[in-house]
């Protein structure tokens, strides 16, 4: 009897454990196959997706919440039919790859999720960008995630990392307890690679609560059921459930010190077979095992040898009893056994089959025996379970299909609404819109199109007609229609290209015609979009802007900018050939006296009169410009010396003979004019201007009211030599970086704190690099030669760089010359430098001298307004040199007035100066401007200025200009 038991027990136990393993592994195998299929479907959709449509879909579905997480928009949340998402990303949103994957994954899980989830707990996709899109029926994972939620260290992500999983295989996670679902889970994961890099995972979660409960219930049976991982972790054990939970589902047998469990693990791992049975090493237990494919677990069945011995004893006793009771009891017993073991199970199976055949769900047969009928019953129950599962999947598919039908119906309604809105928008536009098919049939035109072309009728009457019909109905002349026909023909010849054409309709009216091809989603050409716009006003505005940029605001003549452009064009236009022409420079003798005596309003009228008189003498091929103040220039291309001398004589005579009457007084104006010839005197623009200017001063030395041709021998006067030498010296200083900045503090008069620093320029002496040259020695020459424009830009650029390098530094004040008023691009240059350096415009103060601002009042007004648009403050330096300048404050919208040092030097001893300073401060305060007193050289002057109410002070009493000002030092922490 024992020998029979030793042969029979392992066979029965192995069969039992195999059946149980098979019943468990079916779902795991299905999960592995499903996750691979989902990965293939997702990659196929990603390869075929239109990126623009996917990005638009992302913006429609997802939004960033207050906590920084990106989630599904609240109106889109539907936990029964669609997935949810949480995604970590910055305020600018995820990158394009992440948004495309999110949109495509959402649509895939919305479609497939309801069908997949019934056998599994969830279907999801991890993002390497630290996000999770998951569908689990009825669970809102996205809303449940907090700002600390992260999948970066999930086992799913660690196992999918190419460093750990280079062959990109499907893998199973260890068992874990899901806090949100409150259930024990295991996940099957398929790594997801796209566009040559790892982008995340695709996975399913499976709840194993039922499996764990089934093992826990096995304690009531003859043996013990357990589940063991291939690595020696206890997945489930009837007596160790709490300890497994405490170990997060990964309780190592090696740590239990349990001899029986160690024998079990040793036997299973050494057997190197998927299934088997045998007696333990100590002979106390029969052990049977079978591998569960998928997570690579083992179903274990233990039965004590003592239980087998009891069965053997009871079997022997039974045989004896049978012999004693005789044949009839045996037969009766056999009948009962047949009824119990065969008839009743067959009846239950028959009833279940009939119930299933009627379309209803039968109750589980659930025979507990291990014989053929028991296996048949379990197979039938498994078949019923699978059938129910398939029915659930089919029902879910049907529900998903119905949801999709409903969504598409709603989508069609939305499309109709969008179409109505689009037509309303197109109808309200001032642009003419025309849609035509590939066969040149009109499908739509808006009212603006008909109005532009003066077409009678409504837009609906042209739909379906040839595009030529609508243009034939246009109310413009034949020449315009012919030009339109040519443009349309060119567009039809190249249907895949856009075109642009501007048409002059006469009477100053201009049309801009744009044509763009229209393609469907498969990139097939389906027609064209014509956009016609009346650009008459834009062209007129552009012409006006060009006029204003090149013209002097006072006289209407060309300005210095146009003069410099014409001069460069003059020399470049001749290529390698010598340039031939003449340049005339002239200014009005003693013009400053008119401004000082009668005011700038009369001075402006004189300049206008002179400009008109000279303009009448200049030919169309010659260019007359006002360079600034009372300086004028005439460029005469291809002129001979006789032509230049003749025009010079006419100009000087016209100015001197013109009667000027101011306030009843008759004035006689004279002018000094210089002539330079090319190529005789110069072969470049710089020398041309310098020699014409020198010739003008030669004329002044001759007694004024005359003209002079540039002569090299007359250029030998000490003044001319000095001017030309300084021009060369300044050029070398700019080229070789010999300019230096010094700084002098401007302080708050009340608190004594540093308000800002004034930037002062110095030049290194080439002959002795330890010596500095004062700006008084070279600024005047730089202004005459035009080099001051480069110096102004150098100072602005380096001062802004200093502000950028020293964020703690207060504002810097830079001085701008009057010649820069003629440079309209300087404010834009300053704004660009501030933006590039990241410096706030409020940290830069621009100083203009009062005399230069008032002498060119209109230019100064425009220049100050442009500086204000950059955000910089403006200071009027040397204020009060002409006390009548109070009247100009309403035109010069400056922020700060710097009182001329003439009034400050002897402030404490001269009563008149005190009256002037008090008046300046009162006027400035009334106009909302701040004041600075310069040349403060004593404490007595400082105290008196405080009493008078000045806002800021500057002078040697406080500190001197220096290259290493203490304010430049980096503060210690």
């Amino acid at each position: 009897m024992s020998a029979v038991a030793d042969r029979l027990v392992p066979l029965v136990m192995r069969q039992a454990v195999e059946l149980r393993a098979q019943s468990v592994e079916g779902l795991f195998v299905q999960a592995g196959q499903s996750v691979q299929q989902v990965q293939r479907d997702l990659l196929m959709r990603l390869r075929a997706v239109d990126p623009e449509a996917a990005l638009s879909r992302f913006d429609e579905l997802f939004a960033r919440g207050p906590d920084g997480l990106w989630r599904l928009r609240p109106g889109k949340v539907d936990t029964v039919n669609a997935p949810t998402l949480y995604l970590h990303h910055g305020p600018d949103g995820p990158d394009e790859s992440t948004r495309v994957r999110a949109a495509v994954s959402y649509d895939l899980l919305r479609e497939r999720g309801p069908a997949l989830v019934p056998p599994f707990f969830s279907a999801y996709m991890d993002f390497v960008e630290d996000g999770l899109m998951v569908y689990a029926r009825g669970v809102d994972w996205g809303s449940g995630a907090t700002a600390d939620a992260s999948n970066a260290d999930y086992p799913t992500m660690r196992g999918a990392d190419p460093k750990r999983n280079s062959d990109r295989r499907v893998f199973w996670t260890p068992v874990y307890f899901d806090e949100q679902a409150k259930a024990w889970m295991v996940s099957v994961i398929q790594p997801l690679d796209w566009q040559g890099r790892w982008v995340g995972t695709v996975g399913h979660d499976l709840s194993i609560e039922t499996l764990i409960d089934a093992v826990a219930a096995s304690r009531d049976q003859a043996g013990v059921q357990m589940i063991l991982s291939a690595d020696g972790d206890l997945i489930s054990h009837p007596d160790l459930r709490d300890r497994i939970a405490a170990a997060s589902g990964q309780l190592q047998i090696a740590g239990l010190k349990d001899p029986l469990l160690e024998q079990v693990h040793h036997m299973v791992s050494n057997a190197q077979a998927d299934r088997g049975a045998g007696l333990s090493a100590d002979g106390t237990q029969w052990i049977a095992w079978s591998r569960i494919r998928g997570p690579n677990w083992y179903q274990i069945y233990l039965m004590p040898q003592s239980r087998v011995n009891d069965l053997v004893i009871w079997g022997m006793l039974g045989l004896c009893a049978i012999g004693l009771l005789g044949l009839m009891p045996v037969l009766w017993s056999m009948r009962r056994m047949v009824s119990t073991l065969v008839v009743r199970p067959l009846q239950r199976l028959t009833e279940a089959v009939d119930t299933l055949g009627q379309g209803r769900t039968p109750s589980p047969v659930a025979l507990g025996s291990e014989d053929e009928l028991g296996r048949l019953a379990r197979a039938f129950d498994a078949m019923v379970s699978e059938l129910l599962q398939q029915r659930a999947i089919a029902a879910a598919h049907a529900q998903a299909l119905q949801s999709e039908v409903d969504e598409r119906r709603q989508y069609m309604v939305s499309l109709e609404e969008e179409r109505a809105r689009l037509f309303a928008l197109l109808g309200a536009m001032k642009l003419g819109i025309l849609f035509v098919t590939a066969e040149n049939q009109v499908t739509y035109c808006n009212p603006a199109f008909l109005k532009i072309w003066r077409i009678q009728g409504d837009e609906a009457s042209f739909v379906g007609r040839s595009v030529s019909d609508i243009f034939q109905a246009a109310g413009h002349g034949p020449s315009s229609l012919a030009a339109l026909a040519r443009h349309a023909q060119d567009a039809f010849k190249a249907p895949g290209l856009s075109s642009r054409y501007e048409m002059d309709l006469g009477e100053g009216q201009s049309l801009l015609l744009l044509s763009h091809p229209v393609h469907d989603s498969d990139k097939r050409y389906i027609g064209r979009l014509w956009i016609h716009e009346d650009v008459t006003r834009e062209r007129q505005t552009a012409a006006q802007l060009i006029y204003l940029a090149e013209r002097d605001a006072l006289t209407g003549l060309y300005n210095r900018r146009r003069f410099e452009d014409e001069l460069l064009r003059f020399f470049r236009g001749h290529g390698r050939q010598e340039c031939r022409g003449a340049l005339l420079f002239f200014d009005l003798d003693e013009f400053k006296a008119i401004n000082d005596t009668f005011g700038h309003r009369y001075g402006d009228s004189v300049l206008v009169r002179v400009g008109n008189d000279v303009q009448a003498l200049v030919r169309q091929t010659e260019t007359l410009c006002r360079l600034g103040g009372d300086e004028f220039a005439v460029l005469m291309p291809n002129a001979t010396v006789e032509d230049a001398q003749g025009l010079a004589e006419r100009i000087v005579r016209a100015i001197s003979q013109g009667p000027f009457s101011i306030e009843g007084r008759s004035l006689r104006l004279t002018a000094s004019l210089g002539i330079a010839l090319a190529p005789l005197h110069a072969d470049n623009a710089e020398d041309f201007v310098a020699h014409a200017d020198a010739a003008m001063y030669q004329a002044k030395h001759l007694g004024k009211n005359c003209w002079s041709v540039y002569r090299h021998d007359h250029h030998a006067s000490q003044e001319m030599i000095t001017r030309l030498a300084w021009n060369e010296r300044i050029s070398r200083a700019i080229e070789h970086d010999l300019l230096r900045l010094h700084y002098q503090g401007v302080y708050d008069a009340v608190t004594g704190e540093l308000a800002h620093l004034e930037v002062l320029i110095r030049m290194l002496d080439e002959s002795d690099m330890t010596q500095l040259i004062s700006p008084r020695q070279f600024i005047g020459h730089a202004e005459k030669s035009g080099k001051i424009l480069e110096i102004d830009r150098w100072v602005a650029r380096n001062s802004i760089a200093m502000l950028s390098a020293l964020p703690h530094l207060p504002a810097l004040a830079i001085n701008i010359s009057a010649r820069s008023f003629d440079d309209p691009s300087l404010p834009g240059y300053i704004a660009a430098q501030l933006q590039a350096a990241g410096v706030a415009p409020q940290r830069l103060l621009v100083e203009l001298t009062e005399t230069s601002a008032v002498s060119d009042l209109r230019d100064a007004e425009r220049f100050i307004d442009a500086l204000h648009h950059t955000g910089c403050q403006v200071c009027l330096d040397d204020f009060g040199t002409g006390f009548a300048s109070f009247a100009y404050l309403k035109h010069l919208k400056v922020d700060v007035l710097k009182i001329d040092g003439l009034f400050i030097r002897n402030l404490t001893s001269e009563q008149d100066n005190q009256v002037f300073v008090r008046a300046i401060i009162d006027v400035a305060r009334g106009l909302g401007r701040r004041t600075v007193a310069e040349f403060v050289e004593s404490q007595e002057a400082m105290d008196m200025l405080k009493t008078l109410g000045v806002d800021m002070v500057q002078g040697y009493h406080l500190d001197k200009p220096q290259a290493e000002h203490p304010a430049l030092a980096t503060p210690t922490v």
Side-chain angles (χ1 to χ4, degrees), residues 373-446:
L373 288 175
R375 288 198 293 274
L376 178 60
R378 284 192 291 274
F380 179 81
D381 288 343
M383 180 190 71
V384 171
S385 176
E386 184 176 355
L387 180 60
L388 293 177
Q389 192 176 73
Q390 294 297 329
R391 286 181 180 176
I393 293 174
H397 273 299
Q399 183 179 0
L401 182 60
Q402 183 60 44
S403 298
E404 185 173 355
V405 170
D406 293 340
E407 286 184 9
R408 292 191 178 184
R409 183 181 294 110
Q410 183 62 35
Y411 181 66
M412 292 303 296
V413 173
S414 299
L415 282 180
E416 288 298 324
E417 294 175 352
E418 288 297 329
R419 182 174 180 271
R421 284 191 286 268
L422 175 61
F423 281 172
L425 173 63
L426 294 176
M429 291 176 65
K430 295 184 178 180
L431 300 177
I433 304 295
L434 176 70
F435 285 101
V436 298
T437 65
E439 293 75 25
N440 296 328
Q441 300 294 318
V442 176
T443 59
Y444 174 80
C445 65
N446 68 346

Side-chain angles (χ1 to χ4, degrees), residues 1-6 9 305-319:
M1 193 72 175
S2 296
V4 173
D6 289 343
V9 167
Q305 177 64 43
S306 59
R307 177 63 177 167
V308 175
N309 294 338
D310 292 342
L311 292 175
V312 171
I313 294 172
W314 281 105
M316 293 177 65
L317 292 175
L319 290 176

Side-chain angles (χ1 to χ4, degrees), residues 85 127 166 220 246 297 384 443 469 517 541 597 634 705 847 922 924:
L85 166 136
F127 293 80
S166 59
D220 298 332
W297 296 343
V384 171
T443 59
D469 293 343
T541 302
T597 304
V634 181
N705 193 27
E847 291 195 7
D922 290 342

Side-chain angles (χ1 to χ4, degrees), residues 143-211:
S143 298
T146 65
D148 298 328
S150 174
N151 67 333
D153 199 36
Y154 278 10
T156 60
M157 298 299 286
R158 293 198 303 269
D161 193 321
K163 297 177 182 177
R164 292 190 174 99
N165 191 349
S166 59
D167 55 359
R168 321 310 286 147
R169 68 182 185 280
V170 175
F171 64 93
W172 290 83
T173 66
V175 176
Y176 61 91
F177 186 77
D178 191 293
E179 293 294 341
Q180 190 160 355
K182 303 300 181 184
W184 287 95
M185 297 286 187
V186 66
S187 301
V188 57
I189 304 300
Q190 170 66 61
L192 179 63
D193 297 336
W194 182 46
Q195 295 182 336
R197 69 183 184 95
W198 175 46
V199 297
T201 71
V202 177
H204 289 318
D205 289 339
L206 283 77
S207 174
I208 60 170
E209 284 287 333
T210 304
L211 182 60

